[in-house]
Amino acid sequence: KVPQLLPVKRYKIRSHYDGVFSLDFTKDGTRLAVGYGSGDVTLHDTKTAKLTCCPSRKSEQLPVTGLQFRSQDRSEMLYCLASGPIFLQRIEDESNVVDVMTTDEENEINTLDVSEFGYYFCTAGKDRNTRIYDWEKFKPFSVLGPLTEGDYIGPPEDTLTQHGKRIFSVKFSDESPYHLVSGGWDNSVKVWDLRTGQVVKSMSTGSNFGPKLCGDALAIKGDLCVTGSLLPENAIELWSIKEGRRIACLPYESPKLRGEYVLVVKFCGDNHVIAGSATCHDAQIISIAQEKVVSRIDGFRRSVSSLAVSSSGKVAVAGGAPYISFVETMTTPFFLET
């Protein structure tokens, strides 16, 4: 039987926040930022779970679909709304003012990522394009994609060089400042070279059941890429970025009538993956080497759609209960559930 992880403390969440859509830790793991369906963002001390900051908001009530601290810096945080605006919050600023840095007009943003090398950040979403920004000008200096609206209709071979449907997750490489990986609803994962603006690898199983992402279900660690698909089986796949091929399918334990249907996945240390399901209402930690589930976080009322993992080994999990729960495990001492 897979061990169940139990909460050791809880922190109540206000109901008007309309659920958790995004999470991120500071680099040192001392703070956790939470983005909500209402467009609000809160900041918590990870030792006590107490609210330390609640940034003021200048926006309509739409979900925070992407949220991330600047690499190596706990004082600046970027977040974006589904409707397109991108905000910069300077955490140490006593005025607690959020600046609207730019707006991705007429596009729904589904994801945001910040390069670990500190130069760039990017957004992607409905229009199938990935926009690369620098921190100085907050203007896109490169656009990766078709530059056209709507789902792609045309020769199948053209989807090797662009996404055919909306993008749900994009991640910069943690080894190279010139590469990023993107995935979405079109059964493939693309590896891009920022210097040329072109796809250098298109990873797919060659069937209609490749990586079908519907959330932040893509993570990178070195040459490895893990994806989570909204599919009933074989939803978690491990890929080699350099070789552009699938290495393994990792298990997610679920009743047959429910299926796996993974919404979010992250690397959890060097040897494990943590994933959340839309139908099983739990999160599971999976051993990469053993290819088996080693622990489970149960008790969620709805889909588990948000995860965050810090470099110091802390993990946050968001599901459908009106409180934050902290859980201690053999590798990760901190969990959040809402």
Side-chain angles (χ1 to χ4, degrees), residues 56 61 77 131 163 168 170 176 204 218-219 230 249 253 256 268 278 317:
S56 59
Q61 292 185 343
M77 175 179 64
R131 291 169 174 81
H163 278 289
F168 279 101
V170 60
S176 167
S204 176
L218 185 156
L230 201 69
C249 284
E253 296 190 356
K256 289 185 177 180
C268 188
V317 184

Side-chain angles (χ1 to χ4, degrees), residues 117 120 172-173 175-180 192-196:
F117 296 92
Y120 320 123
F172 283 102
S173 169
E175 289 189 332
S176 167
Y178 306 115
H179 295 89
L180 63 80
W192 299 83
D193 189 323
L194 301 183
R195 292 165 295 188
T196 63

Side-chain angles (χ1 to χ4, degrees), residues 123-321:
T123 62
K126 183 179 179 180
D127 70 359
R128 303 184 287 135
N129 293 296
T130 297
R131 291 169 174 81
I132 315 298
Y133 297 79
D134 63 43
W135 279 91
E136 298 299 325
K137 300 179 180 179
F138 279 87
K139 299 286 185 182
F141 66 86
S142 179
V143 179
L144 312 178
L147 302 177
T148 57
E149 297 182 1
D151 292 348
Y152 173 76
I153 301 175
E157 60 269 18
D158 286 352
T159 60
L160 296 175
T161 60
Q162 61 180 299
H163 278 289
K165 296 182 183 295
R166 65 180 63 201
I167 300 170
F168 279 101
S169 187
V170 60
K171 295 290 184 292
F172 283 102
S173 169
D174 58 356
E175 289 189 332
S176 167
Y178 306 115
H179 295 89
L180 63 80
V181 182
S182 59
W185 197 242
D186 60 351
N187 306 309
S188 70
V189 171
K190 313 293 186 190
V191 182
W192 299 83
D193 189 323
L194 301 183
R195 292 165 295 188
T196 63
Q198 302 297 316
V199 172
V200 293
K201 295 285 184 183
S202 185
M203 299 186 290
S204 176
T205 58
S207 70
N208 291 328
F209 297 98
K212 185 179 283 292
L213 277 62
C214 190
D216 190 19
L218 185 156
I220 295 174
K221 182 172 285 291
D223 179 49
L224 295 179
C225 173
V226 63
T227 59
S229 296
L230 201 69
L231 295 172
E233 59 184 2
N234 297 326
I236 303 176
E237 297 171 292
L238 194 65
W239 306 80
S240 167
I241 297 175
K242 293 178 182 178
E243 297 179 12
R245 66 177 182 89
R246 187 173 68 182
I247 299 172
C249 284
L250 300 179
Y252 195 98
E253 296 190 356
S254 63
K256 289 185 177 180
L257 293 179
R258 289 192 176 184
E260 299 176 10
Y261 295 103
V262 171
L263 283 176
V264 59
V265 65
K266 303 283 184 183
F267 280 102
C268 188
D270 293 329
N271 304 311
H272 295 83
V273 165
I274 183 170
S277 168
T279 54
C280 296
H281 300 177
D282 67 3
Q284 299 179 18
I285 296 179
I286 304 144
S287 168
I288 296 174
Q290 297 176 341
E291 296 187 11
K292 73 174 186 178
V293 178
V294 295
S295 54
R296 180 196 310 269
I297 306 101
D298 288 323
F300 298 95
R301 298 179 185 177
R302 295 187 296 274
S303 303
V304 174
S305 56
S306 299
L307 295 169
V309 181
S310 76
S311 58
S312 59
K314 297 177 181 178
V315 174
V317 184

